[in-house]
Amino acid sequence: MVSLTLTGGTFLTMAEHLSQRELDYPFKLLEYFNGFRISEAIFSACELGVFDLLLQSQKPLSAVEVAQKLGTSEDGIERLLDVLVAIEIVDVEVVQGTAFYSSTDVANLYLAKTSPKSLHDLIIYNSQTIYPLWNNLVDAVREGKNQNEKTFGLPSEEIFSAIYRFKNVFIKCARSSRFASYVILRCVAGCSGALARELAKEYPSSTVTVLDLPAVVQTAQQHFAQQDDTICFQEGDFFEGEIPPADLYILARIIHDWKEEKNLKLLKNIHTACHPGGGVLIAEALLFENSRGPTMVQMFSLNMLVQTEGKEHPPSHYTHLLTEAGFRDVQVCRTGKSYDAILALK
């Protein structure tokens, strides 16, 4: 039997970490390595428009009706719908031997395009960008670098070129995620402007500046139709260009993309530009200090390997980084959701 040697000379067998039921038959392992099939089923249903069709329908639909409306094979769509029923995303009722499918509240809220909480664009982004990269995970682990070149034929140092192949999808994807003046650096700085809009609503007397690369700003403005004098977009490179002065800087999902030296340079630039008494708010997914999770954050960190040059970190890393950049009073808040918060003052 395989054994593990722990600090202090204690020996524990693998069996002590697994239930007897799992040893008798590997239910959990089978669930894990078949997980990609569930992802692909959801990706495919979104791309085909299954959830939008079921939401818009006034009545449950048979597989034949769904196939006719979506232009698919009857057999293929029936098998896909049955999987969606099995994972409780779609409902089914059998009447006189015919299955009729309808949407669930979860699918209507998160998977249909028209919902204000829709994850549809995020799913398409994962399907078209993240999933192909993970096909080269073995090479990423061996080489210790992202797989943009092998997957998309793009230079590995241009980590966002792959993302911007589907720029409009990425901008819409960013929109679905959520003092006196703010500068927002989100998803390579400001990205969609969705966070800016929410801040402007919550703090109408504030001025919000969204700083991002020129191509991203131009695309974001197309998705930001209404005029709002409290929000402005500024084109720039936050590593090399000038950072506008502000009371609070919001960096959402930026630090995990880059190596430590780049992040330190960015935070020092922000510290220099920040008004006295101001600060920086970082939104990132935090690892535990003991390297035991959370599982989803560890998966995020592995994704950073295949896609970027960064990784996820525990709170101590951010405390060290912010302190070295000149900030003080670092506070960490685990939100229990996808992203946590780190606040530091100048």
Side-chain angles (χ1 to χ4, degrees), residues 112-160:
K113 289 181 186 177
T114 53
S115 169
K117 292 189 176 181
S118 177
L119 298 176
H120 180 272
D121 294 306
L122 178 61
I123 290 169
I124 298 301
Y125 166 68
N126 272 270
S127 175
Q128 296 177 348
T129 299
I130 303 298
Y131 199 85
L133 284 164
W134 276 68
N135 284 329
N136 294 311
L137 178 60
V138 170
D139 291 321
V141 172
R142 282 180 179 148
E143 300 164 9
K145 67 177 185 178
N146 70 60
Q147 296 299 300
N148 287 319
E149 184 171 359
K150 186 167 292 183
T151 309
F152 304 115
L154 297 167
S156 60
E157 62 271 15
E158 297 179 12
I159 65 174
F160 285 95

Side-chain angles (χ1 to χ4, degrees), residues 67-141:
Q68 289 173 345
K69 292 179 183 295
L70 297 182
T72 70
S73 68
E74 295 174 11
D75 180 45
I77 201 66
E78 182 176 38
R79 297 188 198 201
L80 179 58
L81 287 166
D82 286 343
V83 169
L84 299 176
V85 169
I87 60 176
E88 301 180 342
I89 294 177
V90 167
D91 280 335
V92 67
E93 182 180 1
V94 179
V95 179
Q96 296 181 343
T98 301
F100 290 90
Y101 302 90
S102 58
S103 195
T104 61
D105 290 340
V106 169
N108 291 340
L109 185 62
Y110 293 114
L111 300 177
K113 289 181 186 177
T114 53
S115 169
K117 292 189 176 181
S118 177
L119 298 176
H120 180 272
D121 294 306
L122 178 61
I123 290 169
I124 298 301
Y125 166 68
N126 272 270
S127 175
Q128 296 177 348
T129 299
I130 303 298
Y131 199 85
L133 284 164
W134 276 68
N135 284 329
N136 294 311
L137 178 60
V138 170
D139 291 321
V141 172

Side-chain angles (χ1 to χ4, degrees), residues 100-244:
F100 290 90
Y101 302 90
S102 58
S103 195
T104 61
D105 290 340
V106 169
N108 291 340
L109 185 62
Y110 293 114
L111 300 177
K113 289 181 186 177
T114 53
S115 169
K117 292 189 176 181
S118 177
L119 298 176
H120 180 272
D121 294 306
L122 178 61
I123 290 169
I124 298 301
Y125 166 68
N126 272 270
S127 175
Q128 296 177 348
T129 299
I130 303 298
Y131 199 85
L133 284 164
W134 276 68
N135 284 329
N136 294 311
L137 178 60
V138 170
D139 291 321
V141 172
R142 282 180 179 148
E143 300 164 9
K145 67 177 185 178
N146 70 60
Q147 296 299 300
N148 287 319
E149 184 171 359
K150 186 167 292 183
T151 309
F152 304 115
L154 297 167
S156 60
E157 62 271 15
E158 297 179 12
I159 65 174
F160 285 95
S161 296
I163 292 173
Y164 293 151
R165 295 177 313 120
F166 303 102
K167 187 163 56 180
N168 286 328
V169 171
F170 181 66
I171 292 293
K172 289 189 287 183
C173 157
R175 291 173 66 190
S176 65
S177 303
R178 305 263 189 268
F179 298 109
S181 61
Y182 302 83
V183 170
I184 301 174
L185 288 73
R186 187 178 199 278
C187 302
V188 199
C191 205
S192 71
L195 180 58
R197 184 184 295 115
E198 295 305 313
L199 282 171
K201 287 179 183 176
E202 189 71 21
Y203 305 101
S205 61
S206 300
T207 300
V208 182
T209 301
V210 179
L211 174 64
D212 214 320
L213 297 171
V216 182
V217 166
Q218 291 160 19
T219 304
Q221 287 174 317
Q222 297 172 12
H223 297 277
F224 206 81
Q226 66 263 40
Q227 293 296 114
D228 192 331
D229 293 337
T230 65
I231 300 173
C232 66
F233 287 84
Q234 179 173 325
E235 298 179 0
D237 182 332
F238 56 74
F239 284 121
E240 303 298 336
E242 182 180 345
I243 294 178

